[in-house]
Amino acid sequence: MLPRVRKALSQPPQLTPRATDGRTREAAVAAVLYGPDPAHLDLLFIRRADVDGDPWSGHVAFPGGRREDHDPSLLDTAIRETQEELGLDLTRADHLGSLDEIGPVSQRRPLVVQPHVFHLPELPELRPNREVAAVHRLSLAHLLANEGRGPMPFEWNGQAMKLARVDFDDVRLWGMTLRIVDDLLHRLDGSGTGLARVGGSSPF
């Protein structure tokens, strides 16, 4: 599996143009694959703590956050944020590459999120900070098999629609996090993204 992931990430990611007026905010996340057996890898997720006014409060996500002025690059942002949120040092991890940049559809001020993919043979003891309510681990093979995948109702600008979601016990992947996951899955198997992976269609 690891060689497949490495090959899939050899394709350059699609970059999102920044606003010419400098209003675009930048962020980065770390998709950490780990496991001593390269054939069986897990993906690391966090559940964000409940915070008033945070649109992603309580969501399952990848560790990451906004770029700071002192971050030389968005790769450095992903590494710094993962260290701060989980006490996980990725400076010596195998950086496999980056996925397509994405942004939320509901933000008035442009936001670009750059996902970076890393591999570690094993995870050290994690030390989540107060921004993290829980840590979750999901099998990449199960995600590729579309386990737990289906539609979920969603309303956007007064319009009812269906979005893709993936459920495992108390974990739900959807929105930007699932779009990042699906980018990786599609690069690996070419089976599409969102609802298209189970024969439907997705508006995003």
Side-chain angles (χ1 to χ4, degrees):
M1 183 69 74
L2 184 58
R4 284 179 61 193
V5 174
R6 197 183 300 278
K7 182 179 180 180
L9 289 167
S10 64
Q11 175 185 345
Q14 292 185 7
L15 304 180
T16 301
R18 274 54 168 172
T20 56
D21 58 7
R23 293 178 61 247
T24 302
R25 297 167 296 166
E26 293 184 312
V29 298
V32 180
L33 290 161
Y34 69 94
D37 182 353
H40 300 92
L41 299 174
D42 288 341
L43 260 176
L44 181 67
F45 298 89
I46 64 171
R47 183 183 300 277
R48 299 207 169 276
D50 293 321
V51 178
D52 289 340
D54 181 357
W56 295 289
S57 177
H59 288 193
V60 175
F62 290 110
R66 302 273 178 84
R67 182 176 187 173
E68 302 289 349
D69 291 339
H70 55 78
D71 291 334
S73 69
L74 284 168
L75 172 59
D76 292 288
T77 300
I79 292 172
R80 175 184 56 76
E81 285 283 343
T82 303
Q83 175 71 54
E84 292 176 0
E85 293 180 346
L86 292 174
L88 177 59
D89 183 5
L90 294 177
T91 56
R92 296 186 179 180
D94 187 1
H95 179 232
L96 302 176
S98 57
L99 296 165
D100 293 350
E101 293 184 336
I102 65 169
V105 297
S106 58
Q107 294 285 310
R108 292 184 179 178
R109 183 179 175 188
L111 172 66
V112 172
V113 180
Q114 190 176 88
H116 287 271
V117 184
F118 300 85
H119 173 255
L120 288 169
E122 60 184 20
L123 283 181
E125 181 180 356
L126 301 178
R127 301 184 303 278
N129 68 5
R130 58 189 177 89
E131 299 177 34
V132 178
V135 176
H136 301 285
R137 302 162 174 84
L138 297 179
S139 162
L140 180 59
H142 291 172
L143 291 168
L144 279 165
N146 296 324
E147 294 184 18
R149 183 177 289 263
M152 61 175 275
F154 188 77
E155 186 174 311
W156 171 245
N157 284 341
Q159 179 183 358
M161 60 180 63
K162 291 182 179 180
L163 297 183
R165 53 85 183 149
V166 173
D167 289 340
F168 288 99
D169 297 326
D170 62 339
V171 174
R172 167 164 286 189
L173 303 179
W174 72 286
M176 286 204 301
T177 299
L178 185 54
R179 287 163 61 195
I180 294 170
V181 170
D182 279 1
D183 183 5
L184 176 60
L185 300 184
H186 180 63
R187 286 167 181 255
L188 288 168
D189 66 9
S191 294
T193 63
L195 295 175
R197 289 191 66 85
V198 288
S201 62
S202 175
F204 303 125

